[in-house]
Amino acid sequence: MRVRHAIFIVPVILIAFGLTLFFFSAPITVADASVVKGEGVNISEMQRSIKNLPVEKFRDMTFVFSD
């Protein structure tokens, strides 16, 4: 009798799980490019603020070859 209950309950659980995945899955969305507002880069602002950047000095030994 318990085997019949297990044979009946397991498919019911699987079917219920499959239906919940089908009905409650996240909807597929498509990106809409018209929503994004394009803003340009202000070059003059970048050139003014580039003087305020911190500078780190290092010794570049890239093209030094030993004989």
Side-chain angles (χ1 to χ4, degrees), residues 39-51 53:
E39 293 190 18
V41 177
N42 191 353
I43 301 296
S44 62
E45 182 68 32
M46 288 175 61
Q47 289 174 344
R48 276 185 265 147
S49 65
I50 197 130
K51 297 172 187 167
L53 294 176

Side-chain angles (χ1 to χ4, degrees), residues 1 4-5 7 9 13 17 23-24 31-32 36-37 42 44-45 47 55 57 59 61 64-65 67:
M1 190 70 167
R4 285 187 177 176
H5 287 283
I7 291 173
I9 291 175
I13 291 173
F17 181 70
F23 287 115
F24 297 114
D32 188 10
V36 178
K37 295 183 179 183
N42 191 353
S44 62
E45 182 68 32
Q47 289 174 344
V55 178
K57 294 183 180 182
R59 188 173 172 197
M61 301 286 287
V64 177
F65 302 105
D67 289 332

Side-chain angles (χ1 to χ4, degrees), residues 9-31:
I9 291 175
V10 170
V12 169
I13 291 173
L14 291 175
I15 291 171
F17 181 70
L19 288 175
T20 56
L21 286 177
F22 180 74
F23 287 115
F24 297 114
S25 62
I28 298 172
T29 59
V30 178

